[in-house]
Amino acid sequence: QLNNRLAHKIKTRYQEYKKRKNKCVRIHLLFMSILCMSYSLSFQFWSELHLPIFLHHWNTTTTPSYPEAPLNSVVSPAETDPRIQEIMKKLDQLIPPRPFPHVNTTTSAAHSRVTVLSPRDTYCIGEHLDLLLEVKDYLGRRKEYGGDFLRARMSSPALKAGASGEVTDFNNGTYLVRFTLFWEGQVSLSLLLIHPSEGVSALWRARNQGYDRVIFTGQFANGTSRVLSECGLTLNTSAELCQYLDTRDQEAFYCVKPQHMPCRALTYMTTSNREISYLTLKEKSLFYR
Ligand SMILES: *[C@@H]1O[C@H](CO)[C@@H](O)[C@H](O)[C@H]1NC(C)=O
Ligand SMILES: *[C@@H]1O[C@H](CO)[C@@H](O)[C@H](O)[C@H]1NC(C)=O
Ligand SMILES: *[C@@H]1O[C@H](CO)[C@@H](O)[C@H](O)[C@H]1NC(C)=O
Ligand SMILES: *[C@@H]1O[C@H](CO)[C@@H](O)[C@H](O)[C@H]1NC(C)=O
Ligand SMILES: *[C@@H]1O[C@H](CO)[C@@H](O)[C@H](O)[C@H]1NC(C)=O
């Protein structure tokens, strides 16, 4: 009997689902634009970031800092290094250098054009809505490569519904933006140019240039005494170092070992930023909002 009831319930649900699925709806494209703003700028944010890191549960050197990682997942650097290099190589290929003579040759949201591919009055739930984006520079010339950082969103605020669009980069200055229509009613679409490809490329280069932008300061506590010490991913010093190794991925973090303190006395860490930048003035101008 129970089984019958369950079967009936499932059948009813399925019919409801089918009914809903077959329902075709009118989708109003309220708002479609490509804008250059959005986003409070991460640069600004970083320079004010002050991040306390608590290390009370850190067990130095012998165990992974991720307790959920099973111990048998420990891998050797010989295994991970080639894999990491391969991933970095792929990323480098994905984000090649994009030198530009002037900002007016970089991607301009205002000059770019977005069109609905085979527009219709009515779409059914589950169907796709495809947009074609053709990017241009500030002089109105077509861009011949991709790599722009785009963000595609579809939303119906009244329904508290939202979804991302899928962006396909053809690497020739055109992008396909595909939205799956998950719900019924009016939707707003937005397509934002977060950073032009030239900016993405500059950020990638700068990111790979050094680790010395962030200053890590570790606090060692031994009894009642507290000592501050310099820490980081790489330390250019001949002083004795404490190594904090994540055995899961073999990545190490170091602190200059304070005198009369064991390495495990590290309890707290703060970060601050150094006033250096690996971006040129021209590159920086891509990020002003
Ligand atoms: C550190 O880990 C070892 C091995 O798991 C354990 O015996 C020891 O008690 C731990 N120490 C602290 C301070 O948690
Ligand atoms: C691009 O901007 C530079 C600097 O303002 C200017 O010299 C150059 O003429 C501009 N290029 C075009 C094609 O307008
Ligand atoms: C860009 O690439 C796509 C996919 O290969 C192609 O269909 C399209 O015609 C190309 N557009 C231009 C302007 O070259
Ligand atoms: C501080 O560390 C030193 C060296 O590891 C140790 O000999 C000493 O007992 C520690 N002092 C306290 C108060 O824990
Ligand atoms: C390391 O420090 C020495 C001495 O201060 C300096 O000459 C050298 O350039 C530094 N190396 C790096 C990679 O920063």
Side-chain angles (χ1 to χ4, degrees), residues 227-242:
V227 181
L228 298 181
S229 175
E230 188 192 356
C231 303
L233 292 158
T234 57
L235 290 175
N236 183 16
T237 170
S238 56
E240 192 187 350
L241 297 178
C242 287

Side-chain angles (χ1 to χ4, degrees), residues 58-59 62-63 264:
W58 197 326
N59 195 339
T62 48
T63 51
R264 66 182 145 76

Side-chain angles (χ1 to χ4, degrees), residues 12-285:
T12 319
R13 281 278 160 81
Y14 177 67
Q15 279 161 352
E16 278 170 22
Y17 168 75
K18 255 179 67 180
K19 238 188 278 166
R20 235 179 308 153
K21 199 163 170 261
N22 291 338
K23 201 152 157 194
C24 291
V25 293
R26 231 182 138 81
I27 300 217
H28 301 269
L29 306 177
L30 276 189
F31 166 61
M32 198 181 305
S33 73
I34 172 157
L35 301 169
C36 204
M37 354 74 93
S38 95
Y39 253 69
S40 64
L41 193 53
S42 51
F43 278 120
Q44 235 66 42
F45 178 63
W46 270 106
S47 61
E48 277 153 31
L49 194 64
H50 183 79
L51 191 70
I53 303 165
F54 292 90
L55 300 171
H56 296 301
H57 306 295
W58 197 326
N59 195 339
T60 54
T61 58
T62 48
T63 51
S65 52
Y66 299 92
E68 70 274 16
L71 282 173
N72 60 10
S73 73
V74 171
V75 285
S76 70
E79 260 179 85
T80 48
D81 284 358
R83 278 175 54 206
I84 292 170
Q85 277 164 18
E86 201 179 307
I87 292 168
M88 296 306 282
K89 208 174 106 193
K90 275 188 191 156
L91 283 169
D92 282 338
Q93 284 166 354
L94 219 58
I95 315 173
R98 293 291 183 208
F100 55 99
H102 187 267
V103 175
N104 57 17
T105 65
T106 67
T107 313
S108 158
H111 292 81
S112 300
R113 210 168 56 130
V114 61
T115 45
V116 181
L117 284 178
S118 8
R120 309 204 307 256
D121 284 344
T122 308
Y123 290 85
C124 296
I125 288 174
E127 286 185 336
H128 293 138
L129 177 66
D130 289 338
L131 310 182
L132 181 73
L133 169 67
E134 293 164 282
V135 289
K136 296 190 176 159
D137 67 13
Y138 286 87
L139 306 171
R141 294 181 307 204
R142 270 204 50 209
K143 297 290 299 281
E144 276 159 16
Y145 50 81
D148 295 297
F149 177 9
L150 302 167
R151 200 183 64 180
R153 289 279 159 82
M154 172 176 74
S155 63
S156 298
L159 299 173
K160 294 196 165 106
S164 297
E166 191 190 328
V167 177
T168 306
D169 183 350
F170 292 125
N171 277 312
N172 60 7
T174 60
Y175 299 82
L176 177 71
V177 183
R178 166 162 284 188
F179 291 100
T180 303
L181 303 169
F182 292 109
W183 61 87
E184 174 183 347
Q186 294 198 340
V187 293
S188 304
L189 302 177
S190 89
L191 185 54
L192 299 180
L193 176 65
I194 307 293
H195 294 311
S197 48
E198 293 80 7
V200 172
S201 181
L203 289 175
W204 181 245
R205 197 210 64 242
R207 174 240 176 255
N208 291 327
Q209 210 153 341
Y211 289 113
D212 45 353
R213 182 156 155 73
V214 183
I215 304 166
F216 292 93
T217 308
Q219 189 186 86
F220 286 73
N222 183 0
T224 52
S225 62
R226 303 262 181 282
V227 181
L228 298 181
S229 175
E230 188 192 356
C231 303
L233 292 158
T234 57
L235 290 175
N236 183 16
T237 170
S238 56
E240 192 187 350
L241 297 178
C242 287
Q243 187 197 57
Y244 303 96
L245 183 70
D246 183 344
T247 46
R248 203 179 56 157
D249 56 17
Q250 295 297 316
E251 283 214 299
F253 190 81
Y254 302 89
C255 290
V256 173
K257 187 176 180 300
Q259 279 189 325
H260 315 304
M261 289 269 188
C263 286
R264 66 182 145 76
L266 174 64
T267 53
Y268 187 77
M269 189 127 56
T270 55
T271 67
S272 53
N273 283 350
R274 220 173 247 127
E275 283 304 311
I276 53 165
S277 172
Y278 296 111
L279 297 174
T280 63
L281 283 176
K282 196 172 65 177
E283 286 167 345
K284 276 186 193 167
S285 69

